[in-house]
């Protein structure tokens, strides 16, 4: 008989963990990356702290994965979703999830502080090429790449 994973993980915490992993690490990191890359370009101000940004990204990556892994492990072992309190024999991993989630939230405070200080202009002064000056070159490259992609497809 064939093993079908959808029967094993259907309606378990695995689905919750996988969704949060894809949402936070897919969509969330796209937003975080865009903010770190383009905020200095849009404001013309240097990022307040590159080191703080690296700490934020690595802490978020590590603890978001840990948080998702805890849920996925519980789901693989049959923990049901849509329960406000998980049945007792799956509760031991929830005790690990609390500090993991707390550190994940604290790492987002690094992001907020870095962005606020950047907007306030607290970073080192440097000349940043304004996005308005770079826009024609970016638009031209995008049009060329879109045309090449369209020709290939």
């Amino acid at each position: 008989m064939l093993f079908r994973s959808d029967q094993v993980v259907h309606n378990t915490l695995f689905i919750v963990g996988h969704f949060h992993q894809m949402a936070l690490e897919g969509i969330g990191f796209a937003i975080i990356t865009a903010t770190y890359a383009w905020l200095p370009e849009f404001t013309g101000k240097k990022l307040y702290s590159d080191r703080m940004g690296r700490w934020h990204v690595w802490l978020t990556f590590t603890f978001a994965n840990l948080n998702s892994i805890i849920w996925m492990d519980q789901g693989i072992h049959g923990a049901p979703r849509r329960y406000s309190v998980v049945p007792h024999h799956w509760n031991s991993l929830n005790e690990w999830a609390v500090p993991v989630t707390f550190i994940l939230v604290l790492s987002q405070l690094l992001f907020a502080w870095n962005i606020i200080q950047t907007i306030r202009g607290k970073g080192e002064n440097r000349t940043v090429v304004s996005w308005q000056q770079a826009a024609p070159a970016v638009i031209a490259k995008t049009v060329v790449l879109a045309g090449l992609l369209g020709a290939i497809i």
Side-chain angles (χ1 to χ4, degrees):
M1 184 171 161
L2 293 173
F3 173 74
R4 293 181 43 183
S5 63
D6 63 337
Q7 291 174 341
V8 175
V9 300
H10 176 72
N11 211 22
T12 66
L13 282 176
F14 184 89
I15 304 301
V16 177
H18 187 265
F19 171 80
H20 281 85
Q21 186 177 38
M22 294 300 104
L24 177 61
E25 294 186 36
I27 300 166
F29 273 117
I31 293 168
I32 289 167
T33 305
T35 303
Y36 280 136
W38 291 334
L39 185 66
E41 300 294 327
F42 290 158
T43 62
K45 300 172 184 171
K46 186 181 184 307
L47 189 64
Y48 175 67
S49 174
D50 288 332
R51 186 173 183 197
M52 189 182 298
R54 283 191 293 275
W55 271 99
H56 164 249
V57 167
W58 282 110
L59 285 171
T60 300
F61 177 77
T62 303
F63 288 97
N65 271 318
L66 281 174
N67 194 31
S68 296
I69 287 168
I70 289 170
W71 277 332
M72 289 191 281
D73 184 59
Q74 287 176 320
I76 290 288
H77 291 99
R81 67 183 224 190
R82 298 191 182 118
Y83 277 62
S84 59
V85 177
V86 177
H88 181 68
H89 50 283
W90 289 293
N91 202 27
S92 62
L93 280 177
N94 283 347
E95 294 171 3
W96 283 89
V98 172
V100 166
T101 305
F102 185 70
I103 294 170
L104 181 60
V105 169
L106 288 178
S107 69
Q108 302 319 300
L109 295 177
L110 289 175
F111 179 65
W113 182 256
N114 206 359
I115 297 308
I116 290 168
Q117 295 297 72
T118 299
I119 292 170
R120 292 178 63 197
K122 297 291 185 175
E124 297 173 12
N125 291 331
R126 73 169 180 166
T127 304
V128 177
V129 177
S130 172
W131 66 277
Q132 294 160 336
Q133 294 170 347
V138 172
I139 291 170
K141 288 178 187 175
T142 304
V143 169
V144 169
L145 287 174
L148 288 174
L149 185 61
I152 292 171
I153 294 177

